[in-house]
Amino acid sequence: MSRPRQDYRQHPRMALAGIAIDQLSEQQLITQLQARLAAGIHGICFSPYLEGQGPGTVITADQISSRLSIIADHVQWIRTFSCTEGNQLIPGLARQQGMKTLVGAWLDGDLDNNELEIANAIAVGLAGDADIIAIGNEVLLRDELSETQLIDYMERVKAAVPGVPVGYVDAYYKFVDYPNVTAACDVVLANCYPFWEACAAEYSLLYMKDMYRRAMKVAAGKKVIITETGWPNIGTAFGGSIPSTSNALRYFLNTYQWAEEDDIDIFYFAAFDEAWKVADEGDVGAYWGLWDKDGIPKYSVA
């Protein structure tokens, strides 16, 4: 088991409070990012794929453990996306390395595979390896299941693993659009991406705060966790959102300055660059990681 990670909220010397991030040079930004990761962030979105792999690849325990070891000293939680094709092994292996888990069951229009995802998520929960279970990721956004189908899956898991909070992950505004889904959640799991709403980097933190507050407003007192947010460092601009190293660094640091000040739990997207995402997201899809595709830190002082 790795050494316990530090909690940035318990180590004020690592705090970002009072730092004028917009006035720092790129090298200073990198130094601040390294300090933040050394202190430890709350959580990160984790996929164990190597170059040439992606959904459909069956992954092994050895590969998962190797990829987890790269990030283990820098995060307290990981978020997973699936409970099939070997992904169901991730939570137990993460726990062995001292991390908590937000375990995802991937749902889509393949009802047979959904049953396997649900069964494996329940098994992970019953094994004591899930701290939160997320049933579905943006399935309403993709219009692949109905509200009734989604709630039925959630209720089945809640009944099977009563000691584990169960929620659903989607874009923040979907919890406004689907109040019955919001009501079914034990915890509201909101994705907040100023980048994908064409927001210029200089306004991105204000925009994310507004996204979060909209989810909070409909959560009726339930905990709201930001389950995805991030900024790519390479790729084609999306409206006013421009990928660059400086923008990615500033977005990360602004995010965690806010998280520290307002005690927000955030899962940053993502641990590693993943080339398979280019098919769905264009060239920008491959460059969201804090580590590159080979597990090397992307941001280092020259």
Side-chain angles (χ1 to χ4, degrees):
M1 181 179 294
S2 66
R3 64 176 175 83
R5 277 153 311 291
Q6 299 174 342
D7 182 343
Y8 64 85
R9 285 173 287 199
Q10 304 301 322
H11 292 267
R13 287 178 298 174
M14 291 297 185
L16 287 164
I19 295 175
I21 292 169
D22 291 341
Q23 299 177 18
L24 299 180
S25 70
E26 191 168 292
Q27 291 299 306
Q28 290 171 321
L29 292 169
I30 290 171
T31 298
Q32 291 295 327
L33 178 143
Q34 291 175 331
R36 167 59 61 222
L37 287 178
I41 61 174
H42 170 78
I44 203 162
C45 297
F46 175 81
S47 294
Y49 300 122
L50 301 176
E51 184 75 354
Q53 298 179 339
T57 303
V58 177
I59 49 179
T60 66
D62 285 346
Q63 178 174 320
I64 293 166
S65 294
S66 177
R67 296 297 262 186
L68 284 172
S69 68
I70 295 170
I71 65 171
D73 286 336
H74 305 287
V75 301
Q76 300 165 51
W77 289 66
I78 61 164
R79 178 192 164 202
T80 67
F81 293 83
S82 170
C83 280
T84 59
E85 299 176 343
N87 288 284
Q88 67 272 24
L89 303 176
I90 298 173
L93 295 169
R95 193 167 295 278
Q96 290 176 19
Q97 297 197 35
M99 288 171 280
K100 293 185 175 182
T101 59
L102 195 168
V103 176
W106 184 265
L107 301 181
D108 55 26
D110 184 343
L111 301 185
D112 289 337
N113 191 67
N114 289 353
E115 290 300 322
L116 183 57
E117 288 276 351
I118 292 296
N120 287 351
I122 290 171
V124 171
L126 291 175
D129 292 328
D131 295 282
I132 301 172
I133 299 177
I135 299 302
N137 179 64
E138 296 185 343
V139 69
L140 296 176
L141 183 68
R142 299 192 305 273
D143 197 26
E144 292 178 338
L145 290 176
S146 70
E147 176 184 61
T148 300
Q149 287 173 305
L150 174 60
I151 292 173
D152 179 67
Y153 285 127
M154 293 173 63
E155 294 298 338
R156 286 169 55 190
V157 176
K158 288 165 70 173
V161 196
V164 180
V166 174
Y168 166 65
V169 177
D170 212 326
Y172 64 97
Y173 56 86
K174 288 298 181 181
F175 295 99
V176 180
D177 297 342
Y178 290 91
N180 292 334
V181 172
T182 307
C185 291
D186 296 324
V187 58
V188 174
L189 306 173
N191 290 346
C192 300
Y193 278 113
F195 182 89
W196 287 123
E197 296 195 20
C199 180
E202 55 265 36
Y203 306 114
S204 57
L205 179 62
L206 289 175
Y207 199 176
M208 179 164 57
K209 287 181 178 181
D210 182 62
M211 294 172 170
Y212 177 77
R213 288 166 184 155
R214 287 178 64 183
M216 284 284 291
K217 186 175 180 179
V218 297
K222 297 174 184 177
K223 186 177 182 66
V224 176
I225 297 172
I226 295 179
T227 38
E228 290 181 37
T229 196
W231 199 279
N233 67 308
I234 296 174
T236 302
F238 188 76
S241 302
I242 300 174
S244 72
T245 295
S246 291
N247 284 345
L249 289 165
R250 287 191 170 89
Y251 188 80
F252 175 89
L253 292 170
N254 278 324
T255 293
Y256 283 100
Q257 187 174 63
W258 171 51
E260 181 174 324
E261 290 169 353
D262 287 8
D263 196 23
I264 311 296
D265 288 346
I266 294 175
F267 287 81
Y268 206 75
F269 190 88
F272 304 108
D273 285 346
E274 299 178 71
W276 68 269
K277 290 182 173 292
V278 169
D280 292 328
E281 299 177 6
D283 58 354
V284 73
Y287 300 104
W288 292 79
L290 296 178
W291 287 262
D292 70 14
K293 61 184 178 61
D294 299 316
I296 305 301
K298 280 169 58 174
Y299 306 109
S300 58
V301 177

